[in-house]
Amino acid sequence: MAIMARAANLRGYRELIDELGGDGAGLLRRFGITPEAIADDDALVPAESLSRALKVAMDFLDRNYPDPERSMTTRVRSAIDRAFLESHADIDTVARMITVHERTLQRALAAEGTTFTAVLDEARRDAAHRLLCQTDLPMSRITTLIGLREQSALTRAVRRWYGQTPQQLRSAARSPESRRTPTGFGPEPATGR
């Protein structure tokens, strides 16, 4: 027997999506919730359909109306981290992921005192450290995952960030002494950027 929920639970989401230019009723129909149930708040609908519809509605709202308290830098950093896994983390791709124009993204980052290049470099630094210190992936694979074209670029970047080669960083992270560092995350980034 399917677990049922009251259609009244959908009213707010349906109206909000309609108000924002979407088709709230169409979204609910897509998940098998009938027009009668949509119109009648006391109707019972399958809880699974309700759950799936609410997830899509929340994803729509997150994508198109992000938390106003969340900075553009944070949104860009999250998109870059996702782009490392899905595609190439360039400004065009990231702007599309967070649904803003490239120039708008650049202006917002400038207003926060940073640039896309700086946020991308920080994301690469953190990902490289994590991949070097916590995995056995080959250097060539790490190079590709963080969006660099050649392994020599990884070596130069890691030297700039940490003052040592990728292999030295990996070896240091695996030594017994590194496990006793106060932060537990290995060496701090080199200063003097």
Side-chain angles (χ1 to χ4, degrees):
M1 181 175 161
I3 299 174
M4 304 301 275
R6 288 186 62 230
N9 295 329
L10 301 170
R11 183 187 312 139
Y13 292 97
R14 181 184 72 227
E15 290 170 358
L16 182 59
I17 290 172
D18 286 341
E19 187 177 314
L20 297 173
D23 178 10
L27 169 70
L28 298 176
R29 282 191 303 273
R30 182 175 147 202
F31 291 99
I33 302 171
T34 66
E36 295 78 27
I38 294 167
D40 179 6
D41 286 342
D42 290 325
L44 294 177
V45 297
E48 181 182 328
S49 294
L50 176 68
S51 175
R52 289 189 350 234
L54 291 179
K55 181 183 181 333
V56 170
M58 293 306 293
D59 287 348
F60 172 85
L61 295 172
D62 274 347
R63 210 174 32 256
N64 294 296
Y65 301 92
D67 180 1
E69 301 298 317
R70 200 166 156 202
S71 71
M72 180 60 79
T73 304
T74 303
R75 292 175 60 203
V76 168
R77 176 59 191 264
S78 292
I80 288 171
D81 290 342
R82 284 192 326 266
F84 282 155
L85 300 173
E86 300 169 6
S87 62
H88 183 68
D90 59 13
I91 193 165
D92 180 53
T93 302
V94 170
R96 267 188 275 113
M97 291 174 85
I98 60 175
T99 63
V100 298
H101 190 274
E102 287 178 42
R103 190 65 193 120
T104 302
L105 185 149
Q106 291 170 329
R107 279 193 302 271
L109 290 174
E112 293 176 8
T114 191
T115 64
F116 179 80
T117 304
V119 178
L120 177 60
D121 189 60
E122 181 182 305
R124 282 182 171 152
R125 183 192 72 216
D126 294 347
H129 188 275
R130 185 177 59 254
L131 293 168
L132 286 167
C133 297
Q134 298 174 5
T135 72
D136 290 324
L137 289 173
M139 299 296 170
S140 59
R141 182 71 180 128
I142 293 172
T143 300
T144 302
L145 285 171
I146 66 169
L148 298 175
R149 294 178 193 257
E150 298 178 9
Q151 192 170 324
S152 60
L154 175 67
T155 300
R156 285 191 304 277
V158 172
R159 277 188 190 272
R160 179 171 45 90
W161 295 326
Y162 297 104
Q164 52 191 323
T165 67
Q167 190 58 51
Q168 290 169 331
L169 181 62
R170 179 174 268 177
S171 297
R174 295 183 178 170
S175 73
E177 293 159 4
S178 72
R179 292 186 185 102
R180 287 187 246 137
T181 61
T183 62
F185 294 110
E188 295 296 318
T191 57
R193 289 188 205 191

